[in-house]
Amino acid sequence: MVLDLRLLSSFLAVVEEGHFGRAAARLFLSPPAVTQHVRRLESQVGARLLDRSGSPVVPTAAGVRLAGHARTLLDAANAALDDLAEVTREADGGRPLRVGIMGHGSAELTPAAINAYRRARPEVRVEIRQLDFTEHVTALVEDRVDVAFVRPSPQDERLLTDVLTTEQRIIVVHERSPLADARTSGVGVADLAELPLFRVPGHTPHTFTEYLYFDDRVQRRSSEFAVTPQEVLTGVVTGRAAGSGLRSFARYYAWPGAVFVPVLDAPWASSYLAVRAGDDNPEVRIFRALAVALAQDMGPIVNSPWPNAV
């Protein structure tokens, strides 16, 4: 019997999330696809792996045993891919600088820092990797990127961060939302009590969920999950959810049907450049120095308040 790693991945995600919908969001699959994967795996091993009778979904005795094997197999597969990638990088002339970007990163500072580094170090290849909302710690800790433009500051002693931008908080709502009329005047956090903000998977760092939900002051009512700005906006323009972010979102995600509203009494929030603590890669130090210098020069442009807000 040959175990399909895709089936194991779906099964393990359900075990870890305790929910088929959250597992599907984590894997960028539909819930029916994850359900089908688990059923195929159960058929293949000849045992029921999940108890679906309650919430959360929990593994059976056979499921607990298989979950341990699944983690080992998936870790081994990922290690093999990483090893091959290392060989490929060496054959191509050395390891690149891997830059992770969550959403639009630190607004105009992100492309400015990358371009400045490319000019300063033209002999070093730069790889851009898009990060979702769950990865602003794991991408660095698991050595998938070398530097990362993230928000908010990861609360993890394994990482170091530099503040790049500090911006006014906003919400994004459908153009027919009652709050859309406040696009220039602004709203308060208390006005957001019934706003259906999207959900994030259970393995999202708590510091990020606090940021999204204004330190848990806003009730989370939407059934929609999102891990990227594009998924947030899809939920917004189809009238199923609302989102929160920084003022620069309005410049980068101007979707028809989406309205950005400043939240006047919410503390301004920052975006950061994060690196691994103790990383002795000189290219990381060069990139970090360039990004911090540019933040000092460009900060007033990015950090300006919302026009006409009172």
Side-chain angles (χ1 to χ4, degrees):
M1 178 176 63
V2 178
L3 292 175
D4 188 328
L5 294 180
R6 295 175 305 166
L7 308 187
L8 288 175
S9 180
S10 290
F11 162 69
L12 189 59
V14 176
V15 171
E16 293 177 347
E17 295 292 341
H19 190 277
F20 278 87
R22 289 196 294 271
R26 169 174 162 180
L27 298 171
F28 302 99
L29 296 173
S30 66
V34 172
T35 300
Q36 183 183 42
H37 285 177
V38 172
R39 287 175 176 167
R40 285 173 56 192
L41 186 60
E42 288 178 326
S43 176
Q44 192 172 19
V45 303
R48 189 165 65 93
L49 300 173
L50 296 172
D51 181 355
R52 303 164 172 81
S53 61
S55 180
V57 176
V58 296
T60 62
V64 170
R65 183 165 296 186
L66 182 60
H69 293 301
R71 289 188 183 95
T72 299
L73 290 169
L74 292 169
D75 286 345
N78 289 331
L81 291 174
D82 288 342
D83 186 53
L84 290 173
E86 186 68 29
V87 172
T88 301
R89 286 194 293 265
E90 291 174 357
D92 289 341
R95 174 170 171 155
L97 183 74
R98 301 163 299 171
V99 180
I101 305 174
M102 179 185 291
H104 71 304
S106 295
E108 290 82 356
L109 273 168
T110 300
I114 293 171
N115 290 333
Y117 176 79
R118 281 177 166 151
R119 289 191 297 269
R121 302 289 291 163
E123 69 277 16
V124 179
R125 291 184 299 113
V126 176
E127 290 184 359
I128 307 299
R129 303 189 178 183
Q130 200 68 39
L131 306 180
D132 67 38
F133 298 154
T134 71
E135 296 180 293
H136 81 310
V137 171
T138 56
L140 281 162
V141 170
E142 296 173 2
D143 195 24
R144 289 185 276 115
V145 300
D146 301 303
V147 299
F149 291 90
V150 298
R151 74 185 71 83
S153 179
Q155 299 301 306
D156 193 303
E157 62 184 8
R158 294 169 293 182
L159 305 180
L160 297 176
T161 60
D162 296 294
V163 176
L164 296 185
T165 69
T166 302
E167 301 180 57
Q168 189 174 34
R169 293 299 306 278
I170 58 93
I171 55 167
V172 53
V173 297
H174 191 276
E175 60 186 358
R176 290 196 296 273
S177 167
L179 297 182
D181 291 339
R183 68 184 74 194
T184 57
S185 59
V187 296
V189 174
D191 299 318
L192 313 181
E194 298 301 313
L195 196 67
L197 291 176
F198 67 89
R199 297 178 184 270
V200 290
H203 62 287
T204 305
H206 186 61
T207 53
F208 191 80
T209 62
E210 287 182 332
Y211 156 78
L212 288 178
Y213 305 127
F214 298 90
D215 296 323
D216 292 327
R217 294 167 64 191
V218 180
Q219 183 181 5
R220 304 187 287 280
R221 297 176 59 249
S222 176
S223 61
E224 295 293 311
F225 281 82
V227 293
T228 67
Q230 290 74 19
E231 291 178 341
V232 172
L233 289 162
T234 298
V236 168
V237 299
T238 55
R240 302 195 306 271
S244 71
L246 303 178
R247 177 181 179 254
S248 55
F249 274 43
R251 299 195 297 274
Y252 281 81
Y253 303 110
W255 284 30
V259 173
F260 298 87
V261 181
V263 183
L264 303 179
D265 58 349
W268 285 32
S270 299
S271 70
Y272 297 80
L273 183 75
V275 302
R276 284 182 292 276
D279 192 336
D280 59 0
N281 183 347
E283 304 305 328
V284 169
R285 293 198 295 270
I286 292 170
F287 189 96
R288 185 181 178 190
L290 288 169
V292 170
L294 283 167
Q296 294 174 349
D297 291 339
M298 298 178 61
I301 299 173
V302 179
N303 301 336
S304 58
W306 197 273
N308 303 321
V310 296

